[in-house]
Every structure is written in C-alpha cells, then in structure tokens.
Amino acid sequence: QVQLVESGGGLVQAGGSLRLSCAASGRTFSSYAMGWFRQAPGKEREFVAAISWSGGSTYFADFVKGRFTISRDNAKNTVYLQMNSLKPEDTAVYYCAGSINGYTHYVPDYNYWGQGTQVTVSS
C-alpha cells in the first residue's frame, strides 16, 4: 500500500512557476512509476506527466512539453513537478498517482492517488 500527499500548490501569476511535491509512504515507492494528472472544474481528469520507477524515462502531455519537468528522488520517496511559464489554462487540481503498470497516460493504470493540490494561475 502506498499513500501519497501532494504539496506546493497555490496562486501564481501567468508566466510564473510552481514546484509541486508528492511524498509517498511505504517502502515500495521505487517500484512504482509515478504520474501527475490534473482536473479543472467541469472537466475530466487529464494526464500531465509521468516518470518511470528509476527516473530514467519521462513522458509529457503535449500541452506541457517544454514548460513542465518531472523528477523523483527515491531516497526521499518524493516525486516533483516543476511548472514554468504557467498559463491561466493550467488552473486545476493537480494529483499525483502511482502505477505498477508503467509510466502511462492512462488514468485506470494508476493504482494509488493523492488528495490533490490546487494550482491557480491568474492572468
């Protein structure tokens, strides 16, 4: 079992940056691929980025390529999402998730979810 807790969300102006963190409990963190998803009001949850268990491979949604990076520190049981050049359309609740199925973009592949952290980008 893995429990995930996100932090780092907040209010930022367009063009600004935020760094989200996701702290995991449990000894098996390094066995899981990790992903970040987001959900805006009235919209479905959508994939943002994912990283393999080792951190050696990453995968991004087209709309964040070149702006967001994902990384992990298995010694600290933490995954990060660095968000730069933020836009108002990035406003959403951001969730981290763990997967034993690899670093996919597919919501059902993820077995564990955090409670989410709000990111609001003002214009």
Side-chain angles (χ1 to χ4, degrees), residues 9 17-18 20 29 34 41 51 56 59 64 70 74 77 82 91 95 97-100 107 110-111 121:
S17 299
L18 282 174
L20 305 184
F29 173 76
M34 298 297 295
I51 188 167
Y59 177 29
V64 301
I70 186 171
N74 286 342
N77 280 11
Q82 178 67 45
T91 295
Y95 299 89
S99 168
I100 61 172
V107 169
Y110 286 80
N111 311 93
V121 184

Side-chain angles (χ1 to χ4, degrees), residues 11-17 84-90 120-123:
L11 173 65
V12 64
Q13 288 188 331
S17 299
N84 299 326
S85 302
L86 282 162
K87 304 175 182 180
E89 52 263 44
D90 293 320
T120 303
V121 184
S122 63
S123 57

Side-chain angles (χ1 to χ4, degrees), residues 35 45 115:
R45 193 166 297 190
Q115 83 290 348

Side-chain angles (χ1 to χ4, degrees), residues 34-83:
M34 298 297 295
W36 286 96
F37 293 77
R38 69 186 188 185
Q39 189 166 16
K43 295 187 176 181
E44 292 189 353
R45 193 166 297 190
E46 64 178 355
F47 170 74
V48 175
I51 188 167
S52 62
W53 66 269
S54 68
S57 298
T58 56
Y59 177 29
F60 295 92
D62 286 344
F63 55 79
V64 301
K65 284 181 180 177
R67 299 191 298 128
F68 293 9
T69 57
I70 186 171
S71 60
R72 67 189 295 162
D73 185 337
N74 286 342
K76 295 182 178 179
N77 280 11
T78 303
V79 62
Y80 305 97
L81 184 70
Q82 178 67 45
M83 306 186 295

